[in-house]
Amino acid sequence: MDPSSLLQYLITGLTLGSTYGLTALGFTIIFNTTGVINFAQGEFVMLGGMMSVYFMHSRGFSEPAAVVLAVLGATMAGALVERLAIRPVRDCPTINLIIITIGVSIFIRGLAMLLWGKDTHVLEPFSGNQPIMFLGAAIMPQAIWVLVISLFLLGALKMFFSGTIHGKAMLACSFDSKAASLVGIGVQRMVLLSFMISALVGAVGGVILAPITMTSYDVGIMLGLKGFAACILGGLGNPFGAAAGGVILGVLESFGAGFVSSAYKDALAFVILLILLFVKPSGLFGLKDSKRV
Amino acid sequence: MNAAKCVIALVAFLLTCVPAFAADAIKIGAILSVTGPASFLGEPEKNTLIMLQDQLNAAGGVNGQQVEVIVYDDESDVNKCVMAAKKLLDQDQVAVVIGPSISGNTLAISKFFSSAEVPLVSCAAAEKIVRPVDPWVFNTPQLDRHAVTRILQDAKAKGYSRLAILTVSDGYGQAGRGVLKELIPAQGFELAADEVYGPKDTDMTAQLTKIKGAGADAIICWGTNPGPAVVARNRVQLGLTVPLYMSHGVASNKFIELAGDAAEGLILPAGRLVAVEQVPADHPQKAVLEAYVEGYTKTYGTQISSFGGYAHDAFALVMEAIAKGGSAKSADIRDNLEKISGFAGTSGVYTYSPENHNGLDESAFIMVTIENGAWKALN
């Protein structure tokens, strides 16, 4: 195995992994505020990509404008989901809310199919299609965009949760929503905010991915699943862990395809995930005691 | 008599009328994957059948009888397909069924048709559908074997000896992989690498890097959109210059749109439908191809896909069998389908026989390349 192939697998893995990590981040944000795992997270990613394509190709906006509109649109969709599907049933047990998010994901997917059709679409890369050669391995400019924006989002979220009063208020809601409301936190507002932020993060992911992976109404299913796996791998509730989990999953898949067999790459990544969960059920970076009271 | 009684009487009257009226039309069932993952097959197929039904009925029907096509959507799901098949056979009592769109679904329901003694003309390509021959089951698409044969003829002419294959892990890709793994050594080539990708995968650089390391003369990729478009893009992104063959599964303009510049120079076998204007005027398929393209684009305002052509041919062959035998009974349709010879459809020239229920050979394919974003037929 020559070193340039090795490097190529690593780069492929990092790019793939960032996509999983970005989806995983969205899971973490909502989980941190509500304790709910939002299975419509993959759909937010899809909305980011599909809306960019729609605004750019059907409405004639320039790429930057289309991207901004798409991210705003998806954020609005996140707010709508919270208002219409989660808030009316907020007193139900968490498991009911999780099942509702599955319903929401099917609904959004169906709506996207009816609005934009069943075809796959491409979005132009932000800065050209010419690969950068590095020690015999090819790096796409878009992959650098993905890595940089992912890191930036991760840093911003970290600061938001540990450094701002809103972020801390959101964390407080997930620990004990009753106590949080007693000290004067608007719990419902925080839940709304968490859905909007996670939709925003998901949509940004969808937009920067679309030039690499292409997009269609149903890309959210697989991304959602892989993102969820990344979340579990890194430890639920820890944004850093989620992103790291995504990258690890992506690199495992890529090396699995390169060294073992491309037919078993998904299986290989999930087998390692299972083994890890047997050994350390709280995930790589999860807290030892998952009950945070 | 008050108003309510009037209405009831009217409804009762209408109910007795409807079956008598409908009995005149020949009932043809269709099970297609109009929605779901295989909708790129089922949607143009459904559009095609509805268009052909309307055209035929407007022209007076077949043998003076109108035709009624009953389309069920199996949502690309095998259970829904089985239910639709039972409904068509038991409840709608159709004379013949067209479809399903995908091979797995066809194989799941074909046994019902043998026992019900109703012919099934499938729009799916798997070889297992027609080999060994089931007396009641036919299909219209070109077989994978014909496509692979054409690719290997081209590879041989160019002097390649080590071939790598990259196939999708769904039914289509694995059927192709089976034929490739059988024919590549049989034709004297060496299989340099055998890689697989998932239908929803978005990055194939790992597989292509491995193929690059294996030192292949050419790569054959077997899949349907969007996977092969990703393969084409990744190949350019990695700076690979190894020639890339695609399968006929991507022979639609959508592929060129998805792959963009990366599609330039790729070679694949395709039905003549992708390059109608380049088909010579004296070719037997020319007239039927032009009529289909013109009718479809006029009726639906969208571009044709070669998948709709499979349904076109299934419908045309069934009508030919009904007209030939002068009978729309299931058993007569079956017998007369087997007697069809030299019948030009959109996918090729069909000659059915009791031993051959596919009716096509490798001449149904032409080799095409993509030049300046358009299909170009190779000689």
Side-chain angles (χ1 to χ4, degrees):
Chain A
M1 185 59 58
D2 61 316
S4 70
S5 299
L6 217 61
L7 189 64
Q8 189 69 60
Y9 293 141
L10 187 66
I11 291 168
T12 301
L14 286 176
T15 320
L16 264 177
S18 319
T19 70
Y20 303 155
L22 275 175
T23 321
L25 269 182
F27 278 107
T28 320
I29 297 163
I30 292 179
F31 181 78
N32 267 348
T33 325
T34 61
V36 169
I37 295 171
N38 171 31
F39 278 105
Q41 189 60 36
E43 270 39 64
F44 293 149
V45 179
M46 177 273 289
L47 281 178
M50 287 299 280
M51 282 169 131
S52 310
V53 170
Y54 167 75
F55 282 122
M56 195 171 160
H57 293 171
S58 309
R59 285 278 166 271
F61 286 95
S62 70
E63 189 158 21
V67 165
V68 171
L69 281 173
V71 171
L72 289 179
T75 310
M76 284 308 297
L80 280 176
V81 166
E82 197 276 336
R83 279 281 174 165
L84 301 178
I86 302 294
R87 191 170 292 197
V89 288
R90 61 182 177 275
D91 296 327
C92 287
T94 309
I95 185 74
N96 294 21
L97 295 178
I98 293 176
I99 291 168
I100 286 173
T101 65
I102 297 178
V104 167
S105 81
I106 295 171
F107 174 78
I108 296 180
R109 210 179 303 143
L111 201 66
M113 185 186 87
L114 290 175
L115 284 177
W116 301 310
K118 286 169 262 185
D119 276 337
T120 307
H121 301 275
V122 271
L123 194 66
E124 288 67 26
F126 298 168
S127 48
N129 226 341
Q130 197 57 44
I132 303 160
M133 295 309 283
F134 175 72
L135 297 177
I139 308 171
M140 289 307 295
Q142 191 66 26
I144 298 174
W145 277 102
V146 171
L147 288 172
V148 170
I149 293 180
S150 306
L151 280 175
F152 173 77
L153 274 179
L154 187 63
L157 282 173
K158 190 87 190 156
M159 272 171 57
F160 177 74
F161 276 115
S162 55
T164 68
I165 192 79
H166 275 89
K168 285 179 177 161
M170 283 169 77
L171 282 181
C173 294
S174 87
F175 293 146
D176 190 330
S177 60
K178 204 163 208 170
S181 73
L182 281 177
V183 297
I185 297 170
V187 175
Q188 277 311 310
R189 212 165 40 117
M190 289 303 141
V191 172
L192 178 67
L193 196 61
S194 76
F195 268 85
M196 289 174 70
I197 295 178
S198 83
L200 179 125
V201 171
V204 169
V207 169
I208 57 179
L209 288 178
I212 299 184
T213 63
M214 304 194 272
T215 186
S216 67
Y217 78 98
D218 61 351
V219 289
I221 308 172
M222 204 58 194
L223 273 173
L225 270 181
K226 293 273 172 75
F228 180 61
C231 243
I232 300 290
L233 185 67
L236 258 176
N238 177 349
F240 167 73
V247 170
I248 294 170
L249 197 66
V251 171
L252 278 178
E253 271 189 15
S254 167
F255 277 96
F259 289 110
V260 187
S261 157
S262 45
Y264 298 113
K265 73 176 168 50
D266 288 337
L268 192 82
F270 282 108
V271 163
I272 292 174
L273 176 70
L274 278 178
I275 294 172
L276 186 115
L277 288 180
F278 285 136
V279 180
K280 199 168 181 301
S282 55
L284 275 180
F285 307 97
L287 299 174
K288 265 262 147 54
D289 184 6
S290 58
K291 215 172 191 155
R292 300 182 297 179
V293 193
Chain B
M1 205 191 263
N2 59 26
K5 274 184 181 162
C6 271
V7 172
I8 292 169
L10 186 67
V11 169
F13 172 74
L14 285 174
L15 279 177
T16 54
C17 284
V18 170
F21 168 74
D24 285 334
I26 303 170
K27 278 194 193 173
I28 294 177
I31 308 170
L32 302 168
S33 303
V34 185
T35 57
S39 59
F40 68 98
L41 298 168
E43 199 173 0
E45 286 167 355
K46 181 191 169 192
N47 288 345
T48 302
L49 287 183
I50 301 295
M51 177 187 87
L52 292 176
Q53 168 201 279
D54 294 344
Q55 282 177 356
L56 187 77
N57 287 340
V62 58
N63 298 343
Q65 266 183 302
Q66 295 281 295
V67 170
E68 183 194 355
V69 180
I70 304 167
V71 181
Y72 289 128
D73 176 14
D74 67 17
E75 299 168 35
S76 316
D77 179 278
V78 70
N79 296 314
K80 302 224 165 75
C81 182
V82 168
M83 284 187 325
K86 293 201 158 144
K87 208 169 161 199
L88 282 173
L89 291 173
D90 299 340
Q91 203 176 311
D92 299 317
Q93 310 246 318
V94 293
V96 52
V97 172
I98 292 171
S101 308
I102 42 183
S103 300
N105 289 5
T106 306
L107 293 168
I109 63 167
S110 57
K111 57 180 184 292
F112 302 134
F113 288 82
S114 324
S115 51
E117 305 203 328
V118 170
L120 177 73
V121 186
S122 173
C123 301
E127 204 163 319
K128 276 192 212 150
I129 295 170
V130 288
R131 283 184 200 188
V133 173
D134 178 327
W136 295 89
V137 181
F138 299 78
N139 76 349
T140 57
Q142 307 94 339
L143 298 181
D144 291 343
R145 184 170 297 275
H146 306 150
V148 172
T149 308
R150 287 307 297 252
I151 291 177
L152 294 182
Q153 281 169 359
D154 190 79
K156 191 155 264 175
K158 294 199 169 111
Y160 303 145
S161 64
R162 287 170 60 80
L163 302 177
I165 60 173
L166 179 54
T167 54
V168 59
S169 63
D170 63 12
Y172 176 77
Q174 292 313 294
R177 178 166 172 257
V179 179
L180 282 163
K181 286 183 77 170
E182 178 198 328
L183 291 184
I184 285 178
Q187 303 270 333
F189 294 96
E190 193 184 338
L191 187 63
D194 171 16
E195 294 300 318
V196 179
Y197 66 88
K200 291 263 156 217
D201 282 4
T202 52
D203 187 297
M204 282 62 144
T205 45
Q207 287 91 331
L208 287 168
T209 305
K210 206 171 170 187
I211 288 174
K212 185 183 168 193
D217 294 331
I219 307 169
I220 303 173
C221 172
W222 213 266
T224 47
N225 285 333
V230 179
V231 172
R233 287 162 151 254
N234 286 165
R235 168 177 167 269
V236 173
Q237 288 161 5
L238 288 175
L240 292 186
T241 49
V242 188
L244 177 59
Y245 288 100
M246 286 289 167
S247 74
H248 53 301
V250 300
S252 69
N253 289 334
K254 190 72 199 168
F255 173 71
I256 301 182
E257 184 194 324
L258 291 177
D261 291 342
E264 289 294 306
L266 301 187
I267 301 174
L268 56 139
R272 291 183 171 77
L273 200 52
V274 298
V276 174
E277 60 285 0
Q278 294 171 49
V279 173
D282 57 349
H283 194 276
Q285 283 176 258
K286 183 80 174 178
V288 56
L289 285 168
E290 280 181 340
Y292 177 49
V293 172
E294 200 199 321
Y296 196 91
T297 41
K298 211 152 92 190
T299 312
Y300 296 106
T302 52
Q303 283 179 326
I304 45 133
S305 87
S306 52
F307 311 120
Y310 303 150
H312 172 282
D313 293 353
F315 186 86
L317 286 161
V318 166
M319 289 311 134
E320 170 75 5
I322 291 174
K324 215 180 170 91
S327 158
K329 285 206 186 77
S330 295
D332 295 335
I333 295 176
R334 194 213 79 86
D335 293 346
N336 288 305
L337 272 171
E338 277 183 355
K339 288 177 196 153
I340 286 176
S341 164
F343 182 79
T346 61
S347 303
V349 180
Y350 292 87
T351 301
Y352 282 132
S353 72
E355 295 80 37
N356 182 351
H357 275 200
N358 171 255
L360 298 174
D361 59 24
E362 63 256 27
S363 70
F365 280 117
I366 48 171
M367 292 306 278
V368 296
T369 186
I370 297 154
E371 208 177 83
N372 300 325
W375 300 101
K376 184 172 181 291
L378 297 171
N379 293 322

